[in-house]
């Protein structure tokens, strides 16, 4: 036993704020409802790149969730939830961003009946991303002024475990297998970090030293990507164990 699942997340719209879950349904391709939509510049179709362009830095401030019916809803800061994608949601997002943008599904199954153009994910996502509180504690020890909020790193599963002095422990588990709840995973690769980790979100400020610390001390990495060996459900509080 190494700990327990203390937070579960899915991200219905890429780069938007995530949706915390009590239970995560995991298939071979990852968590149900994860990364179904993407934001693009309307004129060019280019996807949002908060990690590379400052004009996209507001995107993580917009929250995304799936309704009980499985349809997307978004909420701008201080505003109510609205259905998306739609003409109204695109207009609201464009006003918030300061230039014309559009929210588009990655595939036809994400938004049945959607008549507009689709878009492509800008990267091939790993099925599941696991992060430990021990690695967040290590980051804090190396950069005491940091706010190592899990939302900076967008895990699917945050595993609570005791700190391991001098180590980002899951980075050392590459090739091993882990069970969390009903789900069994193979830890396939470290999660190499980009400038998304330094962007301000609700509750914490811009912090470039976050990424510099990871570059200097863990080869750009924090957290791990996993492939799914046995699908199933993970519930908050489920035990995590190395196999």
């Amino acid at each position: 036993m190494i700990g327990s699942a203390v937070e579960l997340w899915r991200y219905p719209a890429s780069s938007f704020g995530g949706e915390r879950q009590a239970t995560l349904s995991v298939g071979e391709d990852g968590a149900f409802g994860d990364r179904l939509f993407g934001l693009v510049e309307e004129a060019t179709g280019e996807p949002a790149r908060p990690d590379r362009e400052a004009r996209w830095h507001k995107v993580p401030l917009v929250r995304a969730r799936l309704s009980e019916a499985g349809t997307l809803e978004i909420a701008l800061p201080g505003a109510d939830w609205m259905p998306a994608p739609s003409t109204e949601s695109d207009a609201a997002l464009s006003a918030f961003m300061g230039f014309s943008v559009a929210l588009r599904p990655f595939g036809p199954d994400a938004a049945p009946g959607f008549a507009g153009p689709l878009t492509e994910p800008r990267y091939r996502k790993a099925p599941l991303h696991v992060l430990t509180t021990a690695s967040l504690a290590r980051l804090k020890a190396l950069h005491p002024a940091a706010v190592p909020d899990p939302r900076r790193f967008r895990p699917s599963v945050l595993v609570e475990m005791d700190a391991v002095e001098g180590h980002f422990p899951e980075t050392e588990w590459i090739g091993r297998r882990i069970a969390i709840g009903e789900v069994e995973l193979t830890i396939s690769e470290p999660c190499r970090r980009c400038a998304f980790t330094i962007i301000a979100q609700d509750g914490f400020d811009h912090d470039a030293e976050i990424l510099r610390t990871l570059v200097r001390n863990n080869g750009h990495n924090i957290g791990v990507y996993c492939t799914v060996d046995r699908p199933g459900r993970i519930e908050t509080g489920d035990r995590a164990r190395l196999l």
Side-chain angles (χ1 to χ4, degrees):
M1 291 291 182
I2 58 170
S4 60
V6 67
E7 291 184 14
L8 304 174
W9 292 87
R10 68 181 179 188
Y11 308 89
S14 184
S15 297
F16 283 52
E19 179 183 19
R20 193 165 170 179
Q21 301 283 282
T23 302
L24 210 59
S25 296
V26 179
E28 291 182 355
D29 295 329
F32 170 77
D34 194 51
R35 293 178 173 87
L36 303 177
F37 299 84
L39 190 67
V40 302
E41 184 177 19
E42 190 168 30
T44 64
E46 290 296 313
R49 293 301 303 259
D51 57 325
R52 292 191 178 180
E53 298 182 57
R55 65 179 181 145
W56 294 109
H57 280 186
K58 288 183 176 181
V59 178
L61 298 173
V62 184
R63 293 175 293 158
R65 71 181 185 186
L66 296 182
S67 70
E68 291 185 4
T71 58
L72 183 68
E73 297 176 335
I74 65 167
L76 276 69
D80 293 333
W81 292 96
M82 69 174 71
S86 67
T87 301
E88 292 75 17
S89 65
D90 284 353
L93 285 165
S94 296
F96 178 67
M97 296 298 300
F99 59 98
S100 294
V101 297
L103 191 58
R104 296 176 179 171
F106 289 143
D109 294 339
F114 179 77
L118 305 178
T119 190
E120 293 286 337
R122 61 181 175 86
Y123 62 94
R124 183 179 176 83
K125 72 180 183 70
L128 217 67
H129 171 206
V130 174
L131 176 67
T132 68
T133 59
S135 282
L136 296 179
R138 175 61 178 157
L139 175 59
K140 181 70 172 177
L142 291 165
H143 175 22
V147 179
D149 192 294
R151 290 175 295 161
R152 288 193 185 275
F153 310 105
R154 301 173 74 78
S156 309
V157 183
L158 179 66
V159 173
E160 186 173 47
M161 62 175 289
D162 293 336
V164 182
E165 187 175 355
H167 294 272
F168 294 87
E170 64 270 31
T171 308
E172 301 168 8
W173 299 340
I174 306 302
R176 297 197 64 177
R177 297 180 67 241
I178 187 172
I180 310 173
E182 299 175 349
V183 177
E184 293 183 4
L185 309 165
T186 293
I187 300 168
S188 56
E189 60 183 302
C191 187
R192 184 177 175 86
R193 294 302 172 174
C194 64
F196 191 100
T197 60
I198 74 177
I199 298 170
Q201 295 184 46
D202 183 22
F204 52 85
D205 296 329
H206 186 94
D207 184 358
E209 191 61 25
I210 290 273
L211 187 57
R212 295 190 190 112
T213 300
L214 295 175
V215 170
R216 287 193 299 264
N217 295 279
N218 202 39
H220 270 271
N221 304 313
I222 189 171
V224 286
Y225 289 132
C226 303
T227 56
V228 180
D229 301 327
R230 188 176 75 179
R233 291 161 59 90
I234 303 174
E235 297 184 359
T236 303
D238 277 349
R239 296 293 185 181
R241 64 189 191 278
L242 290 171
L243 300 176

